[in-house]
């Protein structure tokens, strides 16, 4: 049976994660409970999430020639990800993220983009045939917007579905939004895009109406423990998620997006795909670290039964 084909264009980082009782305030020093180094970066996390679930994943990215970059590529290869289009940058270091996580699983993150900031349309062009052959192109915003727009146009013209996770949040123009099949902001990202503070179904509907008018065909607002709010031309519905005790929410959104890409590439109906993605995101929140928290299908099936 052929694996569903997904191309991910995005970032690769090394995450340095510190676990604290609470997040520090400016000028404050706290003693950490633990520290780990884990593979991360929104693009890389989502690529790993899709691959572990069984997708054929091609990752288009840029890393430095340092130890972080070498380890990242080795990890992708162990996950079965196609790494032919990961550029090794001789001039810029690999991306790094510094992450604080409190005892409730909430986090704050600072990212030094490094080589990610140099990912170019030319880097994407090298993977043009893979994009044409894919069912889904998955994008985020930790790489240059020009490159994101170019990749979206390539995929759209080839007939692939384009999922954009607009994180970290920034304003987006209609020219890009019109190329997107599914937009997946969380609540703060939705507020930045629309000016509407999303707190419940009513405010989510209000924000969705604004994005629909800007050209978004299908919108999924991820709302943490509330679930995901889906808005299409035909419907607006809140799809609940599994309740869990969060350990680290750092990559829950990435797990959601990777799982969504996998399910859409498998041609599952959108509501079913979102329920699957919700479950994957919930699983991720129960584990510490970004890529270490991404489940396999077997782990997800066991999680469903708990």
């Amino acid at each position: 049976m052929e694996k569903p084909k997904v191309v991910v264009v995005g970032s690769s980082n090394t995450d340095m994660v510190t676990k604290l009782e609470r997040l520090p305030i400016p000028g404050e020093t706290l003693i950490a409970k633990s520290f780990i180094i884990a593979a991360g970066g929104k693009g890389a996390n989502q690529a790993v999430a899709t691959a572990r679930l069984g997708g054929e994943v091609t990752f288009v990215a840029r890393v430095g020639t340092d130890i972080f970059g070498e380890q990242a590529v080795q990890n992708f290869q162990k996950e079965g990800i196609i790494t032919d289009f990961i550029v090794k940058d001789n001039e810029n270091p690999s991306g790094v993220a510094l992450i604080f996580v409190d005892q409730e699983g909430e986090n704050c993150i600072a990212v030094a983009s490094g080589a990610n900031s140099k990912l170019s349309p030319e880097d994407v062009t090298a993977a043009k045939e893979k994009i044409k052959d894919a069912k889904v192109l998955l994008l985020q915003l930790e790489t240059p917007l020009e490159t994101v727009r170019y990749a979206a146009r390539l995929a759209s013209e080839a007939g692939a579905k384009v999922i954009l996770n607009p994180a970290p949040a920034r304003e987006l123009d209609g020219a890009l939004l019109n190329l997107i099949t599914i937009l997946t902001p969380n609540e703060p990202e939705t507020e930045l895009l629309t000016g509407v503070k999303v707190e419940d179904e009513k405010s989510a509907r209000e924000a969705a109406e604004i994005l629909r008018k800007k050209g978004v065909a299908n919108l999924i607002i991820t709302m943490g423990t509330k679930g995901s709010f889906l808005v299409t031309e035909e419907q607006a519905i809140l799809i609940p998620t599994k309740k869990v005790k969060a350990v680290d929410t750092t990559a829950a959104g990435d797990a959601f997006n990777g799982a969504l890409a996998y399910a859409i590439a498998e041609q599952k109906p959108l509501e079913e795909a979102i329920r699957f993605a919700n479950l994957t995101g919930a699983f991720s929140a129960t584990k510490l670290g970004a890529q270490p928290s991404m489940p396999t299908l077997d782990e997800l099936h066991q999680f469903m039964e708990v």
Side-chain angles (χ1 to χ4, degrees):
M1 184 176 175
E2 185 175 304
K3 291 182 175 183
K5 295 179 180 178
V6 175
V7 173
V8 180
V9 176
S11 57
S12 173
N13 290 325
T14 297
D15 291 349
M16 299 184 183
V17 185
T18 300
K19 189 86 173 180
L20 303 150
E21 285 195 8
R22 60 178 175 80
L23 300 178
I25 62 173
E28 182 181 25
T29 298
L30 296 178
I31 302 300
K33 298 171 71 175
S34 64
F35 171 76
I36 65 167
I37 296 178
K42 288 188 177 299
N45 295 343
Q46 293 175 19
V48 169
T50 306
R52 282 199 190 154
L53 292 169
E56 179 187 303
V57 179
T58 299
F59 188 31
V60 181
R62 188 175 273 259
V63 298
T65 54
D66 46 47
I67 186 64
F68 293 142
E70 291 176 12
Q71 288 178 341
V73 173
Q74 289 172 10
N75 287 338
F76 300 143
Q77 291 169 345
K78 287 177 184 176
E79 297 287 352
I81 293 169
I82 297 167
T83 60
D84 298 359
F85 307 101
I86 297 177
V87 178
K88 294 182 178 178
D89 190 321
N90 292 313
E91 297 181 0
N92 296 281
S94 299
V96 172
L98 307 175
I99 303 171
F100 289 158
V101 182
D102 71 15
Q103 61 185 357
E104 301 301 321
E106 291 300 321
N107 64 73
C108 60
I109 306 172
V111 176
S113 296
N116 294 311
S117 65
K118 301 300 180 181
L119 188 68
S120 68
E122 290 74 24
D123 297 333
V124 175
T125 298
K128 188 174 183 178
E129 294 308 313
K130 283 289 186 182
I131 292 172
K132 285 182 177 180
D133 193 39
K135 296 289 186 185
V136 172
L137 173 70
L138 180 55
L139 301 163
Q140 323 76 33
L141 297 177
E142 286 187 332
T143 53
L145 197 57
E146 174 193 15
T147 304
V148 172
R149 187 182 291 110
Y150 177 75
R153 186 178 300 112
L154 274 185
S156 180
E157 290 173 353
K161 290 183 168 61
V162 181
I163 300 173
L164 173 61
N165 176 218
R170 67 173 81 173
E171 291 189 13
L172 301 173
D173 58 51
L176 173 58
L177 293 175
N178 285 324
L179 297 170
I180 306 305
T181 312
I182 305 171
L183 188 72
T184 63
N186 63 17
E187 292 159 304
E189 291 153 5
T190 303
E191 182 177 359
L192 186 140
L193 290 169
T194 65
V196 176
K197 187 173 181 62
V198 177
E199 299 175 307
D200 51 25
E201 282 192 59
K202 181 181 178 182
S203 53
R205 286 174 185 270
E206 184 182 345
E209 189 64 30
I210 293 170
L211 286 170
R212 292 270 302 151
K213 286 178 180 177
K214 288 184 177 182
V216 176
N218 302 288
L219 175 70
I220 303 168
I221 303 175
T222 55
M223 301 176 66
T225 57
K226 301 183 194 76
S228 300
F229 192 70
L230 168 65
V231 180
T232 68
E233 189 174 354
E234 296 81 24
Q235 65 177 334
I237 180 175
L238 181 64
I239 300 173
T241 189
K242 186 179 176 73
K243 305 299 182 187
V244 299
K245 170 63 176 174
V247 172
D248 179 10
T249 59
T250 300
D254 295 332
F256 176 94
N257 280 278
L260 181 69
Y262 171 79
I264 295 297
E266 273 208 317
Q267 300 182 313
K268 292 185 185 298
L270 189 50
E271 276 192 54
E272 183 182 341
I274 293 170
R275 293 184 194 281
F276 178 77
N278 277 348
L279 190 69
T280 308
F283 178 98
S284 170
T286 67
K287 307 291 182 182
L288 186 63
Q291 289 169 35
S293 73
M294 302 301 168
T296 63
L297 269 182
D298 285 345
E299 287 174 326
L300 209 55
H301 290 150
Q302 292 172 15
F303 181 63
M304 289 171 65
E305 297 169 3
V306 175

